[in-house]
Amino acid sequence: MDTVLNIVKTINAYTADYILVFLLIFVGVFFTVKTRFVQVRCFGEGMKKVFGKFSLKGGKQKNGLTSFQALATAIAAQVGTGNIVGACGAILVGGPGAIFWMWIIAFLGMATIYAEAVLAQTTREIDGDGSVKGGPVYYIKKAFKGKAGNVLSAVFAVFTILALGFMGTMVQSNSIGEAVYNAVGIAPWIIGIIVALASAVIFIGGINRIASVTEKIVPVMAVFYIVSCLIIVVSRIAYIPESIGMIFKYAFVPQAIIGGGFGSALKQAISQGAKRGLFSNEAGMGSTPHAHALANVEKPHDQGVAAMISVFIDTFVVLTLTALTVISTLYAGNGILADGVEAGVEKTNMAQIAFGMVFGNGLGGVLVAICLFFFAFSTILSWNLFGKINFEYLFGKKAAVVYSVISIVFIFLGSCLSNKLVWELTDMFNYLMVIPNALAIICLWRTVADSAKGKK
């Protein structure tokens, strides 16, 4: 396990530091310019699309999903352990300044995810039975004709199955097991069985059952977590200005808190912001377009602007509240991490320690465990669907049962394996997904630009 972990960590270090950061920033800037800052111009329109016809009961659709169901499924994938465990890991390793770089990646990512949603809509296909299918594999084939398109789409499908359908769900069940064990002492493997069985029941109902569950879970879990964090923020209001100041200060002088030389520390802060930002909002990764392709909307632009709001909610609301909660309790005001890393504080228990500072260790641990359960469980549902779409793309619909059985086994195994290895494997395949997806949306930029201008 240690040997495999070291190999994967080395691959991830080079991928994140020398490919991912530059690629995500380039794609985000590219589409921000080409769409004339669509994330600013059309932000209000996006909010109206999402909340103007808000409903927890979209109902079973004859084909595809309602726009909100598709968005809820996408947010369920985005708002997961990355918003709690991932954000804590970024702060712990890259310092509070990593949050600033997460914000930058998210702002640019709003334009990127607009492009992904638009292309997912314009390239989706309708089967003979009326069912809708779509996602990056379809716009990759459009971007690259012939054998190149077939190879790249197949490669992306394999990465997605491994990253989301198998490894990704392991991360989520692992985080649930760790959080529940830390809070109430129940063995992780027991939680693994419960999560695997609950997932199996929902998987059996297909896409409509998944959409029905996510459109109810997502708003409720978001409100519960936001209110819990706001209670902490209000109770630590005297330290919030200092906390915000630390985010900006250590974005540019991270060596002052995480040690090392200026260059290496800055690279650490930026790379942590980029890779944890990717894991959190998934803009550019090619995961959420699977959900956006299923939305029944008048024109691709409508789902594009709605998709932007998912990144805003994920990073600028949920993740920022996590950051302020952790920084105001553990860093600001001579907190236990004010001088750097403290023994016993890890990304898996950091949020629970922060919540415990206000709610008490017992209640704080339970609250984080509840939030992590719903965040991670909803992500399992969405990621399983995205993996299934790609599995069927490669092997046909009859293979869906095989995929579901394998994924359920991985959900259980995730609760029992090493947390570090599970996270590193997921990161590796997430990074690999970005490359073919980013290349394809850049090639099809004109379609995106026309949509942003109202031509399509």
Side-chain angles (χ1 to χ4, degrees):
M1 285 291 185
D2 288 340
T3 302
V4 174
L5 177 60
N6 289 331
I7 292 172
V8 175
K9 286 176 70 174
T10 301
I11 295 172
N12 287 347
Y14 280 98
T15 307
D17 294 346
Y18 300 107
I19 298 177
L20 189 69
V21 171
F22 297 105
L23 189 58
L24 286 178
I25 292 175
F26 172 78
V27 173
V29 171
F30 181 81
F31 279 107
T32 295
V33 173
K34 291 297 183 183
T35 61
R36 296 178 300 157
F37 285 81
V38 68
Q39 66 268 58
V40 178
R41 290 190 301 107
C42 300
F43 181 79
E45 181 184 354
M47 292 293 282
K48 289 179 182 179
K49 294 290 182 186
V50 174
F51 298 107
K53 297 180 180 179
F54 176 81
S55 173
L56 296 180
K57 295 182 179 181
K60 183 176 180 180
Q61 301 294 299
K62 183 178 180 181
N63 299 307
L65 306 173
T66 67
S67 180
F68 182 75
Q69 285 176 332
L71 186 72
T73 304
I75 294 177
Q78 294 165 306
V79 180
T81 56
N83 293 83
I84 302 179
V85 181
C88 289
I91 295 170
L92 196 62
V93 178
I99 299 301
F100 173 84
W101 298 110
M102 280 186 165
W103 288 341
I104 297 298
I105 292 294
F107 176 76
L108 298 175
M110 290 174 71
T112 302
I113 208 165
Y114 172 86
E116 291 179 299
V118 166
L119 292 174
Q121 277 284 315
T122 56
T123 60
R124 71 179 195 163
E125 298 178 1
I126 310 296
D127 274 345
D129 60 1
S131 59
V132 180
K133 59 183 182 181
V137 289
Y138 295 97
Y139 58 68
I140 289 173
K141 288 182 70 175
K142 182 178 180 180
F144 304 98
K145 304 296 184 182
K147 185 177 291 186
N150 291 330
V151 171
L152 275 177
S153 61
V155 167
F156 177 87
V158 171
F159 289 159
T160 303
I161 293 166
L162 293 173
L164 306 183
F166 298 157
M167 301 299 176
T169 54
M170 289 177 74
V171 164
Q172 307 301 326
S173 63
N174 188 289
S175 297
I176 293 172
E178 287 272 347
V180 174
Y181 177 75
N182 291 335
V184 294
I186 300 176
W189 67 268
I190 296 176
I191 301 302
I193 291 176
I194 295 172
V195 174
L197 290 176
S199 300
V201 170
I202 297 173
F203 294 165
I204 291 171
I207 184 174
N208 280 294
R209 184 174 297 176
I210 291 174
S212 178
V213 172
T214 57
E215 72 176 343
K216 295 174 179 63
I217 286 182
V218 167
V220 174
M221 75 180 188
V223 170
F224 181 82
Y225 184 69
I226 288 170
V227 170
S228 299
C229 287
L230 283 175
I231 291 173
I232 297 176
V233 168
V234 171
S235 70
R236 302 285 294 179
I237 194 69
Y239 300 99
I240 295 303
E242 181 185 352
S243 300
I244 295 173
M246 292 176 79
I247 292 174
F248 285 94
K249 174 185 176 181
Y250 294 125
F252 301 99
V253 288
Q255 77 280 7
I257 195 168
I258 65 176
F262 171 74
S264 61
L266 185 60
K267 184 180 76 171
Q268 187 78 287
I270 296 174
S271 66
Q272 283 294 316
K275 67 183 184 180
R276 290 299 163 217
L278 172 70
F279 189 76
S280 174
N281 62 56
E282 301 184 23
M285 195 167 84
S287 54
T288 58
H290 297 96
H292 295 305
L294 303 176
N296 295 320
V297 291
E298 290 184 11
K299 56 183 183 295
H301 172 78
D302 294 342
Q303 196 60 24
V305 294
M308 295 190 313
I309 304 305
S310 68
V311 174
F312 176 82
I313 293 171
D314 174 271
T315 302
F316 291 103
V317 178
V318 179
L319 187 140
T320 297
L321 282 172
T322 299
L324 291 177
T325 296
V326 169
I327 297 170
S328 67
T329 54
L330 304 184
Y331 286 86
N334 295 318
I336 61 174
L337 296 178
D339 297 321
V341 178
E342 176 76 13
V345 180
E346 299 179 358
K347 65 183 180 182
T348 53
N349 65 2
M350 199 173 177
Q352 288 171 313
I353 294 173
F355 270 61
M357 294 287 184
V358 174
F359 293 108
N361 291 333
L363 179 58
V366 171
L367 286 174
V368 173
I370 292 172
C371 293
L372 261 177
F373 175 81
F374 285 107
F375 279 17
F377 183 66
S378 63
T379 300
I380 286 174
L381 300 182
S382 294
W383 280 3
N384 175 270
L385 172 62
F386 301 162
K388 180 182 177 182
I389 290 171
N390 286 275
F391 202 86
E392 290 181 351
Y393 172 79
L394 292 177
F395 305 108
K397 288 187 176 182
K398 292 183 179 180
V401 176
V402 176
Y403 166 81
S404 295
V405 172
I406 296 173
S407 63
I408 290 168
V409 171
F410 270 84
I411 291 170
F412 169 72
L413 290 176
S415 65
C416 309
L417 294 181
S418 162
N419 183 277
K420 291 182 180 178
L421 179 58
V422 172
W423 271 88
E424 292 293 340
L425 283 170
T426 303
D427 280 346
M428 183 177 73
F429 288 112
N430 281 345
Y431 302 161
L432 293 174
M433 284 174 62
V434 173
I435 299 172
N437 180 68
L439 292 175
I441 62 175
I442 290 172
C443 288
L444 299 172
W445 70 269
R446 196 172 297 278
T447 300
V448 178
D450 288 344
S451 177
K453 292 176 182 176
K455 294 181 179 180
K456 290 186 178 182

